[in-house]
Amino acid sequence: MEVNQLSDRFNKFAEECKGSSELYEHLSGEIAKDEKLLQLSSYAQDGQPVPNLLFGAVHFLLLKGMKHDLEKFYLTMVESPSEVANSFPPFKDFCLTYQPEIQSILESRLVQTNEVRRCAYLYPAFSMVYEASHKPLTLIEVGTSAGLQLLWDQFSYSYGSGEMYGKLDSEVHISSSVMGGAPPVMLRVAPPVSMRIGLDLHVNDVAEEDDFLWLKALIWPEHADRRELFEQAASHLKDHHIRLIEGDAIELLPELINTVPKNTMICVFHTHVANQMTEDQKSKLTELIQTIGEEREISHLYNNMYDERLHLDMIIDGEEQTYEIGKTDGHGRWFEWNIDKS
């Protein structure tokens, strides 16, 4: 990717960080003007969100124990971070000091956030799928990373109304806000889940220290609540059977579907992953869902594929139903619900 394109990426990311990460907002604006750091960023793999990857690489090395003056600006490293306005010179020095290590991470790692709070909109969406199909759900997540979102039925939820949903005694509680439209009509108790399958080009194992730290490093330094949810959800993985398969989802799906019990509803889903796919891959995945739907009942829940909205497509008894649910916050703090199923 050319330097000018990378500069635009960092300027856009600075806008995304406003009101959420003062540190990354400031650093992004400075990186956008720095040719050396833009050149370093160019080692990221094609299709990757470059700012997230660079910041994740730096954060990862800090969490691994690389000593540098930069750590005093990170809430994950010190209790009272220093003034953000002074952070860029040490950030640049850190990047140049550890350039070989950062380059290696950019070339080998992927942005694979297991953003647990996104389960806040998975819950009402899969409630809707279950009410339409009346069958246990087989979950197949594309771009699963460590598989934490496959446990959405094991968490409890609240949406500002005082009501609680899901597994009410869960140690993992997720709160979110519903913006616009009618509030979703949700099952009080989570729908039954028959199987959990995660597909990814590179599966992360939270039992492995480096994988655990990498996923933690992708969480923005100021977001202590996100880290807490990640750690709580990760502790649940050992108690549930999740089949994680490494490889290309489009190639794996046709054969995998044959192993799914016929008395279940197939639920293919992915959150903030399709933006890393090529247009050809998006078309192939959509066509594959349609082909499977000729023989099996299937749903496809996705966002950031053709627009910035959450969509749900279902094929039940040969009939297709499509819903544009609405926009979703990247960290699951809020989502729109534009479907009135009451």
Side-chain angles (χ1 to χ4, degrees), residues 12 18 27 52 96 114 138 175 192 223 255 284 292-293 295 308 312 339:
K12 183 178 180 182
K18 282 185 176 178
L27 291 175
N52 304 72
L96 297 181
N114 267 221
T138 288
S175 60
H223 294 184
E255 190 64 32
K284 285 182 177 178
I292 295 170
E295 303 291 335
E308 296 182 351
L312 174 61
I339 301 171

Side-chain angles (χ1 to χ4, degrees), residues 56-266:
V58 171
H59 199 188
F60 177 75
L61 292 177
L62 288 172
L63 293 173
K64 287 276 286 183
M66 301 293 193
K67 294 300 180 183
H68 193 276
D69 198 42
L70 177 63
E71 66 184 39
K72 70 182 183 183
F73 297 94
Y74 281 69
L75 187 58
T76 46
M77 307 303 296
V78 295
E79 288 187 9
S80 300
S82 297
E83 182 62 41
V84 164
N86 302 321
S87 62
F88 183 67
F91 181 87
K92 181 175 180 177
D93 184 72
F94 183 93
C95 289
L96 297 181
T97 301
Y98 294 105
Q99 183 165 341
E101 291 85 353
I102 292 174
Q103 181 178 327
S104 177
I105 293 171
L106 296 178
E107 292 174 331
S108 61
R109 286 283 186 178
L110 305 174
V111 173
Q112 297 172 287
T113 52
N114 267 221
E115 188 55 66
V116 181
R117 191 174 274 120
R118 291 176 190 159
C119 293
Y121 53 78
L122 297 185
Y123 187 85
F126 284 127
S127 293
M128 188 172 158
V129 172
Y130 179 69
E131 289 189 308
S133 65
H134 304 291
K135 292 180 179 179
L137 309 181
T138 288
L139 306 176
I140 303 176
E141 184 181 17
V142 176
T144 194
S145 187
L148 300 185
Q149 290 181 177
L150 285 162
L151 295 175
W152 59 267
D153 62 312
Q154 297 300 306
F155 310 146
S156 67
Y157 301 88
S158 60
Y159 299 91
S161 66
E163 296 291 326
M164 293 271 287
Y165 302 89
K167 189 174 182 182
L168 303 183
D169 61 350
S170 176
E171 295 178 359
V172 181
H173 177 73
I174 296 173
S175 60
S176 186
S177 299
V178 182
M179 312 287 285
V185 178
M186 291 176 284
L187 298 172
R188 185 69 183 272
V189 178
V193 173
S194 175
M195 297 178 69
R196 308 172 199 272
I197 303 168
L199 310 176
D200 207 305
L201 294 173
H202 173 72
V203 169
N204 284 290
D205 182 356
V206 293
E208 296 290 332
E209 182 181 4
D210 274 5
D211 281 357
F212 180 82
L213 278 182
W214 174 244
L215 294 177
K216 197 171 179 178
L218 289 169
I219 299 172
W220 301 358
E222 299 96 330
H223 294 184
D225 57 335
R226 293 174 62 203
R227 278 190 297 280
E228 183 179 2
L229 275 178
F230 165 71
E231 291 172 354
Q232 290 174 341
S235 70
H236 278 249
L237 277 176
K238 64 182 182 298
D239 299 324
H240 298 275
H241 177 68
I242 295 180
R243 186 181 175 193
L244 299 178
I245 305 172
E246 203 159 89
D248 187 296
I250 296 169
E251 296 176 2
L252 293 169
L253 267 174
E255 190 64 32
L256 184 61
I257 294 300
N258 294 329
T259 70
V260 174
K262 294 191 182 299
N263 65 338
T264 67
M265 177 68 172
I266 301 167

